[in-house]
Amino acid sequence: MTTTITVIGGPTALLELGGLRILTDPTFDPPGDHPVGPLTLTKTIGPALSSADIGRVDLVLLSHDQHPDNLDKLGREAMAAAPLTLSTPAAAANTGVTSLCPWEHHDVGPVRVTAVPALHGPPGCEPIVGQVTGFMLTGAGSPTIYVSGDNASLEYVELIAGRFPAIDVALLFGGAVRVPMIDERLTLNAAEMVIAARLLKARHVVPLHVEGWSHFTENQADVHTAFFEAGLDHLLVSPAPGRPVPLMSA
């Protein structure tokens, strides 16, 4: 069975894995402004596909619910239509989705979903940015897939690599996000994505969360340049948005 990915935009992608259709961080709103407390985040690129275009979704992996660049209005509607969403305890309290703490797992058909730690910025940022999680997907006859979520911690990546030493595909969220209230990056930059790929010994890397919002300070071109300069551009899988691309076969 071939595993495929369809990149939709921002952090949103559809994985077809083990007979399941798995959606990451649903964002389907058109371009426009999204107020978040004292900030206004501006979406600059719309999704390549609508939720109606995608059709059936068996599982949503939600890294966090508190920021519209990872869950927007139409994304919430798509999430509500799915039979199961896994996310943080905070997101579960806010939205009623199923909670997973770091290293807890939930089996969905042939796929085991394990929550892995993530930090959405520098140490100590949680009271401002809130909880976030990543995910590891494993299963007999399926590739091992890491979904980083909005993680900025290479220390956590190293910890995850120690527990999962054979990563087939890493979906790395980047963009080197910055906002005025925190003078440090809230997600990985391109150079750190290279380090993460090396730590994970990933066979393939799919960059996500690198296009489509004005508070992203790096883009897809920056990622390609960093991987090329590191001699690792052969790892990159960068599908045209909206077009399914095979990752690997079981």
Side-chain angles (χ1 to χ4, degrees), residues 63-200:
S63 67
H64 59 298
D65 73 311
Q66 63 268 30
H67 299 145
D69 58 323
N70 295 83
L71 181 68
D72 57 19
K73 181 178 181 294
L74 292 179
R76 289 177 185 273
E77 293 178 8
M79 183 178 77
L84 176 65
T85 297
L86 301 175
S87 192
T88 65
N94 292 337
T95 65
V97 302
T98 299
S99 167
L100 283 180
C101 293
W103 311 121
E104 290 184 341
H105 68 263
H106 189 108
D107 293 336
V108 186
V111 176
R112 170 161 291 187
V113 182
T114 302
V116 296
L119 182 63
H120 198 352
C125 69
E126 296 96 325
I128 299 174
V129 300
Q131 288 183 350
V132 63
T133 189
F135 302 95
M136 194 69 72
L137 309 179
T138 57
S142 294
T144 296
I145 299 178
Y146 169 53
V147 182
S148 75
D150 277 10
N151 174 55
S153 171
L154 289 172
E155 290 80 5
Y156 278 167
V157 173
E158 188 170 15
L159 182 63
I160 292 162
R163 293 210 184 196
F164 295 90
I167 307 298
D168 294 303
V169 182
L171 275 57
L172 297 181
F173 289 29
V177 165
R178 284 187 178 273
V179 295
M181 63 184 62
I182 301 177
D183 190 27
E184 293 190 57
R185 289 186 298 273
L186 303 187
T187 57
L188 298 178
N189 65 18
E192 290 166 331
M193 293 171 75
V194 169
I195 296 171
R198 284 181 167 143
L199 288 170
L200 295 163

Side-chain angles (χ1 to χ4, degrees), residues 7-13 25-32 34 41-48 68-70 72 150 172-177 187-190 193 206-225 236-242:
V7 171
I8 296 161
T12 311
D25 282 7
T27 55
F28 292 104
D29 285 4
H34 293 257
L41 304 182
T42 301
K43 188 173 188 177
T44 59
I45 302 173
D69 58 323
N70 295 83
D72 57 19
D150 277 10
L172 297 181
F173 289 29
V177 165
T187 57
L188 298 178
N189 65 18
M193 293 171 75
V206 182
L208 296 177
H209 198 274
V210 293
E211 301 279 359
W213 290 81
S214 61
H215 60 297
F216 294 4
T217 66
E218 292 186 349
N219 58 28
Q220 192 80 254
D222 295 307
V223 176
H224 279 261
T225 296
L236 288 177
V237 179
S238 299

